[in-house]
Amino acid sequence: MPLSDHDALTDLFATPPGTLYLDSAAHGPRLCSVHSAAEAALADGVAPWRIDMDDWYASIERVRTLAAMIFEGDGFRGDGDGVALVPSVGYAMSLAANNLELDAGDTVLVLEGQFPSNLLPWQQRCAQTGAGLVAVRRAHGQDWTAAVLAALDADPAIRILALPHAHWHDGALLDLDRISARAQARDAALVLDMSQSLGALPADIARWRPQFVAAVGHKWLLGSHGLAYLWAAPHWRAHGQPLEQNWFAREHAAAMASPSQPPPYRAGARRFDAGGVAHAQKLAMAAAALSQLQDWGIAALSQALGARTAAFDAVLREHGLEDWGTPGHAPHLFGLRPAAQRLDAVAHALADAGAVFTQRHGVLRIAPHLQVTPAQMRMLAERVVAAAQ
């Protein structure tokens, strides 16, 4: 049976009964397997002297390889050389900003309302170099892709595009095929924050050819806070400068020998590994979560999540409220924009039905995972319709 047809997946998740958790864009729901892995790692930590160093190194590389499979797409079986373990997307984007060439007179392109982790590092870098930063706005009826392409046409100084795949406010998608093709033709660097898409939408890194890609581990990748992932293009794996210096990113034996000169970096993107993030509990949670995503397959998971948001959208259409939704939203994430005078009533109706969601700037962000069924999504949409009266 296709994953999209499964309704009874609640027993895979530790979500409390009676809760319709729609806030995966803030923090993914906890898988039971992930919870068990965390408990086991915590128990093992009572006797840390029993934890073999080789086993610890192996667990790090397992997580690195599993993450690489998600970045590279279903069916990838690489060795993880392209992935570094970092604490946050802000860390990863700061690293990208420090490595990419940027001069006075150049421009960095971002989206209006972009998440701070993929904005603040570029603001700082532009201030340091004298480069400019442009925040793309959508004209009425214009989608983000058209707005970005129009900005590229209007400003020949754009050297870096720092973008998401899906906007964090409402899940509005960007067509990275079109944007990356234009960026490549312009020889502009593409840097992606995929925190709101990786693990829920298939990625095509080979086609998009970004310089750096980052994603947090605790949202659609279903892991824990404090462990995020940075994918680096081949050039940077050999020539990039890390954001910090620590023994973990260097050849271990040489680093421990306290040489007079810095020892070589470890192979690939491992040079960017941050100190302290390879915590046993975080690694165990990440391995369990990434393994489950691999078992589902990202394409099948995206289809299944799309069945849930489509059920909600269908009810809005049936009652003439389709303009309350987000045109062209991602299959796993959308923003609900009720009429201003009905916003509070709609939010209360959803909350009274047990729904957990984010409300911000007049938008109710709806981001279900597989523990919420299409039937439940339809029921919630009917509550919205009733509150619209």
Side-chain angles (χ1 to χ4, degrees):
M1 182 182 295
L3 183 58
S4 59
D5 293 337
H6 277 271
D7 284 349
L9 291 173
T10 54
D11 57 349
L12 294 181
F13 294 86
T15 307
T19 300
L20 296 177
Y21 186 69
L22 307 178
D23 213 12
S24 300
H27 197 299
R30 178 64 55 79
L31 284 161
C32 293
S33 60
V34 170
H35 196 77
S36 296
E39 290 180 326
L42 188 63
D44 288 344
V46 171
W49 59 91
R50 296 175 182 167
I51 300 174
D52 185 83
M53 186 67 74
D54 289 340
D55 291 341
W56 180 57
Y57 289 152
S59 68
I60 294 167
E61 292 308 309
R62 172 167 168 72
V63 167
R64 195 190 308 277
T65 299
L66 286 168
M69 293 177 185
I70 305 295
F71 276 109
E72 300 283 357
D74 288 344
F76 175 75
R77 293 294 180 268
D79 59 6
D81 270 2
V83 174
L85 307 186
V86 296
S88 67
V89 166
Y91 183 104
M93 290 302 165
S94 295
L95 190 152
N98 285 356
N99 274 274
L100 288 167
E101 184 177 351
L102 192 64
D103 298 316
D106 292 341
T107 302
V108 178
L109 181 149
V110 299
L111 301 185
E112 182 183 44
Q114 188 155 291
F115 196 79
S117 295
N118 197 18
L119 174 62
L120 295 171
W122 303 108
Q123 290 174 329
Q124 181 181 23
R125 183 67 171 147
C126 287
Q128 291 171 340
T129 61
L133 187 141
V134 58
V136 173
R137 296 183 178 185
R138 290 180 292 182
H140 180 70
Q142 187 181 45
D143 64 20
W144 282 119
T145 301
V148 168
L149 295 178
L152 274 171
D153 289 341
D155 187 352
I158 292 172
R159 293 290 176 267
I160 299 171
L161 292 80
L163 299 171
H165 191 183
H167 202 293
W168 71 288
H169 276 174
D170 59 9
L173 277 174
L174 284 77
D175 186 339
L176 293 181
D177 285 351
R178 294 175 62 196
I179 290 171
S180 63
R182 187 73 61 85
Q184 290 165 32
R186 284 274 304 273
D187 198 26
L190 181 63
V191 180
L192 299 174
D193 172 7
M194 296 183 66
S195 295
Q196 293 298 356
S197 57
L198 198 70
L201 283 178
D204 198 341
I205 301 297
R207 180 191 297 270
W208 301 333
R209 293 170 59 187
Q211 298 302 303
F212 295 97
V213 186
V216 294
H218 66 271
K219 296 184 180 183
W220 300 98
L221 295 176
L222 304 180
S224 73
H225 275 283
L227 179 57
Y229 307 99
L230 169 67
W231 182 94
H235 170 81
W236 303 111
R237 301 173 202 176
H239 304 290
Q241 291 301 309
L243 200 58
E244 65 175 69
Q245 296 298 320
N246 65 79
W247 71 272
F248 189 69
R250 301 280 185 169
E251 292 295 341
H252 294 162
M256 289 300 182
S258 299
S260 58
Q261 297 296 321
Y265 288 112
R266 297 178 66 210
R270 294 172 184 84
R271 67 173 53 215
F272 300 129
D273 280 353
V277 300
H279 184 279
Q281 193 170 350
K282 295 175 187 176
L283 291 169
M285 295 172 72
L290 296 172
S291 294
Q292 180 61 78
L293 292 173
Q294 283 293 314
D295 288 346
W296 283 329
I298 301 302
L301 175 57
S302 181
Q303 180 180 342
L305 295 174
R308 284 145 175 81
T309 59
F312 196 104
D313 288 343
V315 174
L316 295 185
R317 284 196 305 272
E318 291 165 9
H319 294 273
L321 296 176
E322 59 266 31
D323 60 335
W324 283 18
T326 300
H329 67 74
H332 60 292
L333 168 63
F334 67 92
L336 185 65
R337 290 180 172 82
Q341 67 273 21
R342 304 308 300 162
L343 176 63
D344 288 343
V346 169
H348 287 310
L350 288 173
D352 289 345
V356 177
F357 53 91
T358 290
Q359 179 175 344
R360 185 184 287 108
H361 304 310
V363 178
L364 309 181
R365 189 176 63 185
I366 308 298
H369 216 284
L370 297 180
Q371 86 284 11
V372 180
T373 69
Q376 288 172 324
M377 292 295 290
R378 187 174 181 88
M379 177 275 292
L380 289 172
E382 289 167 351
R383 297 289 185 97
V384 168
V385 170
Q389 306 306 318

